[in-house]
């Protein structure tokens, strides 16, 4: 039986045990006790009614309706770095603190961006499918030829934590580094020699474009027909940020037209996608199911950090992971 003096919290999914243990030690915990399935909306609205803290995931829409249903809510902790599913204005209007889990997933997500770009450039998935279909015939000079990465131009859109980690990896491949960001970053330019470009110039100059900007009103639909038309016919487009930055219909049409040459995507306009998705009708794509941060170590660190953040805010302790509402 937990002491009622502990702050009450609601958790929208069963988290790995070390994170649940942190919450149980400091809070009176109720949860949507399911590992895989998102919480239904009515359960969420019921769940937040009596609590001071909410720990949620990217699959939960936390909006003014949720805030109105939670009169005691003081803290929201998301187990993710991106928080585009959360209405920050609605939280701010009630003085509710939002925290997220940056840094712990940076290198893991950058690795996945590189996995996608190499797999797309060298037709790794297409090659495996060819073998599975029994269509691998004798070697010939232009069999399954792809694009080189070593020594080419790497352009990152949104050069924050993950974008910079993607760029740093490019040095190991002797790539020429370009970035586009809201603001120029002199430290990045000095430390790894990345050169700033406007978005249009980055798109036309890069052999690989990797998107790592957050989803905001400004970035929604940032990549459409006009942007793809600027890319090289040999280029690779990679998105590990959020699906709605890209107009998917435009991307499918652009891939069919051969510009970009291939794409590697971890995120989609509406997730999850199924086998009938139009992107699966083009051969030159590599798709993963939003697994940027999905390693055992990183997901455990994200879960425990999300629990620690929630406890810190509820107990008035400092945490560096408060999301400021601009
Ligand atoms: N695929 C996955 O599983 C994962 C996806 N993500 C996504 O990656 C995003 C980035 O994460 P971090 O690097 O930690 O965030 P960050 O905040 O460190 O970096 C984002 C960068 O984008 C820039 N930016 C914002 N608006 C822009 C615009 N209109 N044009 C150009 N640049 C702009 C910012 O100035 C910042 O430098 C997250 O918001 C999330 O959506 C993050 C982790 C895992
Ligand atoms: O998409 C994942 C995140 O942490 O943001």
């Amino acid at each position: 039986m937990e002491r009622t003096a502990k702050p009450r919290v609601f958790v929208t999914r069963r988290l790995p045990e070390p994170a649940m243990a942190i919450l149980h030690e400091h809070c009176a915990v109720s949860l949507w006790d399911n590992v895989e399935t998102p919480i239904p909306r009515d359960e969420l609205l019921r769940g937040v009614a009596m609590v001071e803290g909410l720990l949620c995931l990217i699959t939960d829409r936390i909006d003014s309706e949720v805030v109105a249903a939670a009169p005691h809510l003081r803290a929201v902790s998301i187990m993710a770095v991106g928080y585009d599913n959360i209405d920050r204005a609605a939280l701010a209007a009630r003085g509710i603190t939002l925290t997220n889990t940056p840094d712990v997933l940076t290198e893991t997500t950058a690795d996945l961006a590189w996995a996608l770009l190499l797999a797309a450039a060298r037709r790794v998935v297409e090659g495996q499918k060819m073998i599975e279909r029994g269509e691998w015939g004798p070697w010939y000079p232009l069999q399954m030829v792809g694009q080189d990465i070593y020594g080419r131009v790497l352009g990152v859109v949104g050069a924050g934590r993950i974008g910079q980690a993607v760029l740093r990896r490019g040095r190991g491949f002797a790539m020429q580094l370009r970035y586009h960001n809201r603001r120029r970053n002199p430290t990045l330019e000095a430390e790894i020699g990345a050169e700033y470009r406007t978005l249009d110039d980055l798109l036309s100059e890069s052999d690989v474009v990797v998107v790592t900007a957050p989803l905001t009103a400004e970035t929604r639909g940032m990549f459409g027909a006009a942007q793809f038309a600027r890319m090289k016919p040999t280029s690779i487009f990679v998105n590990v940020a959020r699906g709605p930055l890209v107009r998917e219909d435009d991307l499918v049409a652009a891939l069919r037209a051969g510009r970009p040459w291939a794409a590697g995507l971890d995120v989609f306009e509406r997730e999850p996608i199924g086998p009938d998705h139009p992107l699966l009708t083009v051969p030159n794509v590599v798709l993963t199911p939003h697994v940027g941060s999905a390693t055992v170590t990183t997901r455990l660190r994200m879960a425990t950090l999300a629990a620690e953040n929630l406890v810190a805010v509820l107990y008035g302790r400092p945490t560096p992971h408060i999301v400021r509402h601009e």
Side-chain angles (χ1 to χ4, degrees):
M1 187 73 174
E2 287 173 313
R3 294 196 349 255
T4 49
K6 289 178 177 178
R8 292 173 196 237
V9 300
F10 186 71
V11 188
T12 63
R13 205 78 62 85
R14 177 166 285 283
L15 302 178
E17 198 39 47
M20 294 307 301
I22 293 169
L23 292 172
H24 280 295
E25 187 185 345
H26 297 95
C27 308
V29 181
S30 50
L31 83 156
W32 171 247
D33 198 359
N34 198 300
V35 172
E36 292 181 11
T37 312
I39 185 169
R41 186 73 178 171
D42 57 337
E43 293 284 349
L44 173 62
L45 294 173
R46 245 196 311 278
V48 296
M50 301 300 291
V51 300
E52 291 163 76
L54 171 65
L55 198 155
C56 63
L57 307 183
I58 57 171
T59 45
D60 308 315
R61 183 164 44 86
I62 308 300
D63 57 11
S64 52
E65 188 185 24
V66 174
V67 171
H72 311 287
L73 195 61
R74 294 194 284 124
V76 173
S77 167
I78 184 166
M79 183 188 147
V81 66
Y83 44 78
D84 46 276
N85 55 316
I86 294 179
D87 183 342
R88 282 187 294 155
L91 297 196
R94 273 267 311 279
I96 299 166
T97 301
L98 173 64
T99 57
N100 67 344
T101 60
D103 302 319
V104 295
L105 47 60
T106 295
E107 303 300 339
T108 302
T109 309
D111 282 349
L112 195 269
W114 268 86
L116 286 172
L117 85 82
L118 287 169
R122 298 304 302 273
R123 304 172 66 175
V124 170
V125 175
E126 221 183 317
Q128 174 158 343
K129 283 183 183 165
M130 189 175 86
I131 295 170
E132 283 170 357
R133 286 195 304 266
E135 290 173 3
W136 181 20
W139 193 98
Y140 64 93
L142 293 184
Q143 186 182 36
M144 288 295 291
V145 289
Q147 303 294 339
D148 276 317
I149 293 298
Y150 190 87
R152 297 284 170 93
V153 179
L154 170 63
V156 163
V157 180
R161 290 168 289 240
I162 297 169
Q164 290 177 38
V166 170
L167 285 165
R168 280 199 309 276
R169 283 158 177 71
R171 295 174 76 183
F173 283 72
M175 297 186 86
Q176 301 159 62
L177 307 180
R178 309 284 182 260
Y179 77 100
H180 174 73
N181 206 47
R182 268 183 312 183
R183 282 179 288 275
R184 283 186 72 153
N185 181 338
T187 312
L188 175 66
E189 294 177 19
E191 281 179 2
I192 63 170
E195 294 178 15
Y196 176 84
R197 292 289 184 272
T198 63
L199 180 60
D200 281 354
D201 286 350
L202 178 138
L203 290 171
S204 53
E205 211 178 300
S206 299
D207 296 296
V208 181
V209 173
V210 180
V211 184
T212 51
L215 175 60
T216 63
E218 205 185 354
T219 61
R220 187 176 289 275
M222 191 176 193
F223 298 91
Q227 287 66 41
F228 296 127
R230 297 195 78 86
M231 295 182 71
K232 297 180 184 178
T234 50
S235 62
I236 315 293
F237 178 80
V238 173
N239 184 9
V240 293
R242 285 290 183 269
L245 272 81
V246 175
R247 292 190 211 119
E248 265 168 18
D249 290 347
D250 288 4
L251 178 56
V252 171
L255 285 162
R256 284 212 180 96
R259 204 185 280 258
W261 184 81
L265 308 169
D266 185 47
V267 287
F268 304 89
E269 272 183 339
R270 272 176 297 279
E271 297 176 2
I273 63 169
D276 53 352
H277 195 279
L279 277 164
L280 288 167
T281 64
V282 280
N284 43 344
V285 292
V286 178
L287 311 180
T288 48
H290 202 144
V291 291
S293 63
T295 64
V296 176
T297 307
T298 293
R299 285 287 167 85
L300 279 174
R301 290 179 76 191
M302 289 167 66
T304 53
L305 182 56
E308 286 162 4
N309 284 340
L310 189 62
V311 169
V313 175
L314 291 174
Y315 280 81
R317 297 179 194 143
T319 163
H321 305 305
I322 291 175
V323 178
R324 307 277 166 207
H325 182 55
E326 287 158 20

